[in-house]
Amino acid sequence: MQVAFHIGAHFTDEERLLRTLLANAPMLAGRGIVVPEPGRYRRTIRDLLVALKGAPADRETQETLLDAVTSQDHIQRLILSNDNFMGFPARMIGKDGFHALAPARLRALANLFPTDTVEFHIGLINPATLIPQLLGFVKGADYESLMCGLAPTALRWTPVVQRMAQAVDGRRMVIWCNEDTPLIWPEVVRRVAGVEPETALQGDDAVLETIMAAEGMARMKTYMGSHPPQTAAQRRKIASAFLDKFGLAERIEIEVPLPGWNDALVADLTAAYDADVAEIAALPGVEFIAP
């Protein structure tokens, strides 16, 4: 059995990926691909992780988990999604650094299915946009307490992904950038689902619809109807052209004033993020989805 964990990251797709997969669940089930409702597994997995303390689950525990997750037999692929698989937002930044708990949590998740083929899927996010959203989400936190004495430039993805990759011991990690999802969404959905690139699925425009004017979406769909893109690259080119013309800037840009922040710091954070992404894309065991 294949087990695909979608682990976030926080403040990326707002569970849009899970909703898209659920919309296609009946068709996927016919292929042995199970997308359970999150209420069937999130608390169960949380309780199991606490009970097992990172140790591998035995066969009886695995069967109990599968019975809780789905009533379907002959599962080829199981898809489980939760932003909190990496840890709760309030503990994302700590004295030990950025996502310090994530490697141990991923190892524990893999140990829920120690004899199966497990893979992890994650959309990265620029710390320049992550930190303002995190501050607005964590109740009672101010900027100083949120950062735990760390400089914003200390929030780097490369060491986080390297430690996670080491923790999961060679299991595949599929990674993309949240900033790219409007253009690569169809590829992301199909990769997580484990289906062929040409598979017809609902929800290919789920992200574009949130950041493009309705008129632009209608025109793009009409254009693609009369000029069907033959490749993913062609589709991205068309979508990019319509997004340039009809994109809703107020839904794309995040502006939250933070103490000591200025345009130069945001530029530095973004440059460091871009450098991390390039390094992560080249890591062994990482499959990177790029536009």
Side-chain angles (χ1 to χ4, degrees):
M1 182 176 69
Q2 300 172 357
V3 182
F5 286 103
H6 172 233
I7 60 175
H10 285 290
F11 311 111
T12 55
D13 77 342
E14 298 175 332
E15 300 211 325
R16 194 169 289 110
L17 178 57
L18 176 59
R19 292 196 298 273
T20 300
L21 291 170
L22 285 170
N24 290 280
M27 183 277 286
L28 294 173
R31 297 179 171 217
I33 303 167
V34 175
V35 187
E37 293 281 351
R40 294 196 65 163
Y41 60 85
R42 287 185 175 174
R43 183 167 183 173
T44 300
I45 287 180
R46 183 190 66 189
D47 292 344
L48 270 180
L49 292 175
V50 172
L52 291 171
K53 298 180 180 179
D58 59 27
R59 176 51 61 183
E60 182 180 355
T61 300
Q62 294 174 58
E63 293 296 336
T64 300
L65 174 56
L66 287 176
D67 288 343
V69 165
T70 179
S71 57
Q72 182 167 330
D73 296 323
H74 310 296
I75 304 171
Q76 298 296 317
R77 185 176 180 86
L78 176 64
I79 302 172
L80 304 170
S81 176
N82 189 351
D83 290 354
N84 289 330
F85 279 152
M86 291 180 67
F88 294 109
R91 304 184 70 183
M92 185 188 303
I93 302 172
K95 293 181 180 179
D96 293 330
F98 183 42
H99 277 302
L101 302 177
R105 291 183 66 90
L106 266 60
R107 183 187 299 113
L109 286 169
N111 277 339
L112 293 177
F113 303 95
T115 61
D116 293 307
T117 301
V118 174
E119 59 188 43
F120 295 92
H121 300 253
I122 177 173
L124 305 181
I125 180 172
N126 187 345
T129 56
L130 168 64
I131 297 172
Q133 293 181 85
L134 182 62
L135 182 60
F137 182 85
V138 179
K139 294 180 180 179
D142 57 24
Y143 180 71
E144 287 71 22
S145 65
L146 179 78
M147 296 301 294
C148 296
L150 298 179
T153 51
L155 274 59
R156 301 293 297 264
W157 276 109
T158 294
V160 173
V161 174
Q162 288 174 328
R163 290 193 297 268
M164 291 194 300
Q166 183 177 13
V168 301
D169 193 25
R171 294 175 176 88
R172 181 159 294 278
M173 299 186 70
V174 181
I175 300 178
W176 61 92
C177 290
N178 181 59
E179 297 79 13
D180 295 333
T181 51
L183 300 180
I184 63 172
W185 184 248
E187 293 98 299
V188 169
V189 174
R190 284 159 180 77
R191 183 59 185 84
V192 177
V195 297
E196 299 80 8
E198 65 274 12
T199 303
L201 294 177
Q202 300 178 40
D204 278 350
D205 297 323
V207 177
L208 279 173
E209 288 172 346
T210 67
I211 60 173
M212 189 187 295
E215 177 190 0
M217 284 300 307
R219 290 191 180 187
M220 187 186 78
K221 290 179 179 180
T222 298
Y223 181 85
M224 287 190 180
S226 59
H227 302 78
Q230 301 302 305
T231 64
Q234 288 180 5
R235 187 186 189 282
R236 289 195 297 267
K237 185 175 181 179
I238 295 169
S240 181
F242 278 90
L243 193 58
D244 285 345
K245 186 173 182 179
F246 296 102
L248 301 172
E250 68 276 10
R251 297 187 186 179
I252 299 173
E253 299 173 357
I254 297 175
E255 293 186 8
V256 178
L258 296 175
W261 282 46
N262 53 34
D263 290 345
L265 175 59
V266 171
D268 288 344
L269 290 173
T270 300
Y273 175 61
D274 290 342
D276 279 349
V277 168
E279 189 170 354
I280 289 166
L283 289 175
V286 167
E287 178 182 333
F288 193 81
I289 304 176

